[in-house]
Amino acid sequence: MNTYKVGLVLGSGASRGWAHIGAIEALQDAKIPIHLVAGCSVGAFVGAIFASGGLEQLKRYVIDMDGESMFSFSDLSLISSGLLDGDKKLRELFCMHSDKKNFDELEIPLKVVAADMYSGDQVVLDSGDLLKALGASLSYPGLFAPVYHKGRWLIDGGVVDPVPVGVARAMGADIVIAINLDSELISRKRHQKTESVPEITPPQIRNEFLKKLAARYEAVEKTIRKHLELQEKKKPTPPGTRKVISAAIQIMQDRITRVNFAVNPPDILITPRLGDLKMLDYDQVEHAIEEGYIATRNKVNDINMLLETQETEDVVS
């Protein structure tokens, strides 16, 4: 009998988080056991759905729904601070796919990472109100309001530990499989080079009328080209608030993850190719799921070798 535990770590990444669905499916298809889950931000949400047995239902829903409308800010209310209150939306979305309300109801042990807004401490949540904990872990800075939970104002855990490997270790994981969504690698499938189409040379113009018409079009083309060149020289328009916040947090999370991995690396690191997907592009659901599946499938042999080694060590000991 195997006594080792496999821990799955699901990192933060906003709209990229749907890649976690594909990653978990690939592990399940390969019959790789998952004994515990640690999640941060959207990783906490997908992890909670998985731990409650509702992953397949969530997948069907997010594929059928347009991602932008599913997380549309138009149906989220503003609070006095000008931030969005996502509590009602989160509860609706979660309860559509799970009837679990507390951590102790989950089928697989789960820990959720949030951050104390004032002290900057990592806060690990693993008991009591599950939806409150998820709301805290998902409180994306600058967009969603902090959540007051267990005597603290909590925000997105991605600001302190985007891929909480250490949390999984502390839960007793002997083998840690981590999904990191911060890669800038571009999907091979979506960016394949296409063969160049040979340029068609127009027939020789013999008719005088056609010659004049061609000259006129050439003059218009030059005017348009000149206009475009002038536009390019103009001062560029600064990006919107959402893009600035998203880019800043993504840069910060990448730096934090690099430092954390240097201290506490996972046994298996899976990095889906999501470089062409921005953090708030919620309308790329199928693309994210597929990339999560492909990246994880490519690591299955490595995982199985690690499991075999662990099983051998268990027998010897």
Side-chain angles (χ1 to χ4, degrees):
M1 180 178 177
N2 298 326
T3 59
Y4 63 81
K5 291 184 178 180
V6 177
L8 178 64
V9 178
L10 304 178
S12 61
S15 64
R16 294 180 173 187
W18 303 130
H20 289 318
I21 296 176
I24 294 172
E25 285 188 327
L27 293 174
Q28 291 177 320
D29 288 348
K31 303 294 190 290
I32 294 171
I34 300 173
H35 301 105
L36 55 91
V37 179
C40 178
S41 193
V42 69
F45 178 81
V46 176
I49 292 289
F50 167 61
S52 64
L55 190 70
E56 180 59 33
Q57 188 175 344
L58 174 66
K59 177 187 176 182
R60 290 197 301 267
Y61 177 78
V62 296
I63 288 178
D64 290 342
M65 289 290 291
D66 173 73
E68 197 66 42
S69 64
M70 183 171 60
F71 278 93
S72 172
F73 296 152
S74 63
D75 56 356
L76 296 173
S77 58
L78 284 170
I79 58 175
S80 57
S81 63
L83 297 175
L84 296 163
D85 182 4
D87 181 69
K88 182 180 178 181
K89 188 72 172 178
L90 170 66
R91 290 178 179 273
E92 287 178 357
L93 183 60
F94 188 85
C95 292
M96 289 176 65
H97 314 293
S98 173
D99 59 356
K100 310 299 191 238
K101 299 293 190 298
N102 294 288
F103 279 92
D104 57 11
E105 299 175 30
L106 298 175
E107 300 171 8
I108 301 173
L110 169 74
K111 287 186 184 289
V112 170
V113 174
D116 187 304
M117 189 178 76
Y118 292 106
S119 69
D121 293 338
Q122 180 193 65
V123 179
V124 179
L125 304 169
D126 60 1
S127 63
D129 190 333
L130 174 62
L131 295 179
K132 198 79 170 179
L134 293 178
S137 188
L138 282 157
S139 293
Y140 200 79
L143 291 178
F144 294 104
V147 173
Y148 191 74
H149 185 49
K150 296 191 174 183
R152 291 177 166 186
W153 283 106
L154 302 179
I155 58 175
D156 194 312
V159 303
V160 292
D161 198 356
V163 191
V165 173
V167 174
R169 297 281 188 205
M171 294 173 73
D174 300 295
I175 297 172
V176 174
I177 301 170
I179 316 294
N180 179 22
L181 305 179
D182 284 340
S183 170
E184 291 308 308
L185 294 174
I186 301 295
S187 168
R188 293 189 182 94
K189 182 174 180 180
R190 289 167 62 88
H191 290 267
Q192 291 177 340
K193 292 183 179 179
T194 56
E195 295 183 3
S196 58
V197 179
E199 189 173 321
I200 301 174
T201 305
Q204 184 178 2
I205 300 176
R206 295 183 176 87
N207 186 284
E208 191 65 29
F209 171 76
L210 292 180
K211 285 184 180 180
K212 292 180 180 179
L213 188 62
R216 184 166 185 173
Y217 276 117
E218 185 178 353
V220 171
E221 182 184 0
K222 288 181 179 178
T223 301
I224 293 175
R225 189 183 299 116
K226 186 176 181 180
H227 176 73
L228 291 175
E229 289 174 354
L230 289 173
Q231 287 291 107
E232 290 177 358
K233 292 179 181 179
K234 287 184 178 180
K235 186 177 180 180
T237 304
T241 303
R242 283 174 57 185
K243 289 185 178 180
V244 172
I245 293 173
S246 174
I249 292 176
Q250 187 172 352
I251 292 169
M252 176 190 67
Q253 289 181 347
D254 179 62
R255 300 298 185 272
I256 294 172
T257 299
R258 290 173 186 268
V259 172
N260 290 351
F261 281 175
V263 176
N264 197 355
D267 298 292
I268 298 291
L269 177 61
I270 298 170
T271 309
R273 303 177 72 94
L274 299 169
D276 49 342
L277 182 58
K278 303 305 179 185
M279 300 294 277
L280 297 177
D281 288 345
Y282 283 102
D283 58 346
Q284 299 293 321
V285 175
E286 288 188 84
H287 169 44
I289 292 175
E290 182 179 21
E291 289 300 325
Y293 189 95
I294 292 171
T296 305
R297 184 189 61 196
N298 291 340
K299 291 282 187 174
V300 164
N301 288 339
D302 293 341
I303 297 172
N304 282 328
M305 288 178 62
L306 195 58
L307 294 179
E308 289 171 6
T309 302
Q310 187 68 48
E311 289 170 0
T312 302
E313 291 177 357
D314 285 351
V315 171
V316 173
S317 60

